[in-house]
Amino acid sequence: MSTCSTVSRALDEPVAGTAATARTWLLLEQPGPWGAKALTSSHLDPALGRALEAATKGTGVRVALIRRPGRHADCRVPAARQVFVAHTGPGNVWLHAATTTEPERLLDLDVAALGRGEVASFDAVLGGRPYEGDPLALVCTNGKRDRCCALLGRPLAAELAASGVQGVWEVTHLGGHRFSPTVLVLPYGYAYGRAEAHLVKEVLHRAQEGRIVLEGCRGRSAWERPGQAAELAVRRAVGEYAAEGLSVVRTDGAAPHWEVTVAHTDGRRWLVEVAQGASLPPRPESCGSVLGSPARMDVAAVHELTAAALAG
């Protein structure tokens, strides 16, 4: 059976620079079935879902629903729900957790502050605390959004959970169906495509050490897509794997050409030339869609900036 993911894999479409963009992730546990637009088509009150979408628009906060791997009983019985919030910006990475029986209390959060990396309202409103468990692995499994996410994502989530991996959740939507299975790892916010269980286990192990894995990496959600591609290109060029080692500090230009400045914590800087290209030949961006040429981020050059250039 040909799916958007099998076509993308066969064409060896690059995954770098394709991660969803969000500096802060707000995750609410919602068991049961999910529709294509899960915030308004699940057993969550659709009015609450619409209000959360409106409240977070333009704040840098992205809301998603999560559930434990496994069978999803069609149950509407209210229960305590897990809530997570994670900020992924280098230098201020954190992951807090809470439980609530009143999901509408999320509307009392200062989402603009959460987007800026300030967690106080989450702890005050929901009784949140720093999360001390293993890194989270969020596997996209929303088959109503794209069948690849169900066909490939759900077995991956189930395999990880069955093998004892902690911190595994199914999540509603991470974008890039054609790269299924897709996984987001928190707190650092690096996303992965075409993920297999052994890779996810390695990614989680390294995340515990504050390091990342470059294989299959789509980018860090804190950056826009040119920045994602630029940061990964610098990592490959210099062999930098510390999650907090690099930051995107400036992006000049506009589609289809950008110059991205990437900085190291040790003071080094690089200027990365990124160009937006079109993926050819045409392919479906998701199952059932018409053929198209998805945008891709191509790194044309990586220049390390000298002290003289920085002074200038």
Side-chain angles (χ1 to χ4, degrees):
M1 175 176 61
S2 179
T3 62
C4 66
S5 60
T6 58
V7 173
S8 176
R9 189 186 293 265
L11 293 174
D12 198 24
E13 184 178 354
V15 302
T18 67
T21 55
R23 292 185 69 81
T24 302
W25 291 84
L26 180 59
L27 309 170
L28 172 63
E29 184 177 4
Q30 178 56 60
W34 297 333
K37 295 184 177 180
L39 278 176
T40 54
S41 55
S42 68
H43 288 169
L44 183 71
D45 180 353
L48 173 57
R50 286 190 292 271
L52 286 170
E53 287 179 331
T56 54
K57 187 175 182 179
T59 64
V61 177
R62 181 162 174 151
V63 185
L65 302 182
I66 58 174
R67 63 191 178 194
R68 290 293 189 183
R71 299 188 63 182
H72 307 300
D74 193 359
C75 177
R76 296 174 183 265
V77 179
R81 304 161 188 251
Q82 188 75 42
V83 188
F84 296 101
V85 65
H87 187 68
T88 63
N92 186 31
V93 169
W94 45 256
L95 173 59
H96 283 220
T99 57
T100 185
T101 57
E102 302 172 284
E104 61 274 10
R105 298 200 66 193
L106 271 65
L107 295 177
D108 296 328
L109 298 173
D110 186 342
V111 291
L114 291 175
R116 294 192 300 268
E118 302 165 13
V119 74
S121 73
F122 182 84
D123 293 351
V125 171
L126 298 174
R129 296 288 185 272
Y131 176 70
E132 297 179 350
D134 292 341
L136 302 185
L138 309 176
V139 183
C140 185
T141 63
N142 191 352
K144 292 295 175 65
R145 188 96 183 191
D146 190 281
R147 62 180 176 175
C148 286
C149 298
L151 291 172
L152 301 174
R154 291 197 67 192
L156 173 62
E159 181 180 355
L160 290 168
S163 65
V165 175
Q166 302 298 308
V168 179
W169 293 83
E170 298 185 7
V171 68
T172 46
H173 182 51
L174 297 177
H177 319 293
R178 64 191 185 281
F179 304 121
S180 294
T182 60
V183 180
L184 177 73
V185 177
L186 295 175
Y188 297 112
Y190 283 93
Y192 291 82
R194 303 185 187 124
E196 298 180 1
H198 68 87
L199 172 64
V200 178
K201 291 176 182 179
E202 177 67 12
V203 168
L204 293 173
H205 176 68
R206 294 302 177 196
Q208 285 184 310
E209 301 174 339
R211 298 170 68 80
I212 75 159
V213 173
L214 292 179
E215 180 186 350
C217 192
R218 299 175 63 191
R220 189 172 193 160
S221 73
W223 318 128
E224 296 295 327
R225 291 182 176 179
Q228 294 173 13
E231 189 224 30
L232 292 177
V234 172
R235 287 188 178 280
R236 290 192 173 91
V238 302
E240 179 56 68
Y241 302 101
E244 295 285 75
L246 297 177
S247 294
V248 173
V249 296
R250 180 169 176 168
T251 301
D252 295 308
H257 298 288
W258 298 268
E259 290 186 339
V260 182
T261 304
V262 178
H264 196 286
T265 52
D266 65 11
R268 286 179 292 165
R269 292 199 172 202
W270 296 263
L271 188 67
V272 184
E273 298 176 23
V274 181
Q276 179 176 298
S279 298
L280 295 172
R283 77 285 311 273
E285 291 194 49
S286 60
C287 290
S289 69
V290 298
L291 297 182
S293 299
R296 54 184 283 172
M297 295 293 128
D298 295 320
V299 173
V302 177
H303 306 285
E304 184 168 0
L305 298 175
T306 64
L310 291 171

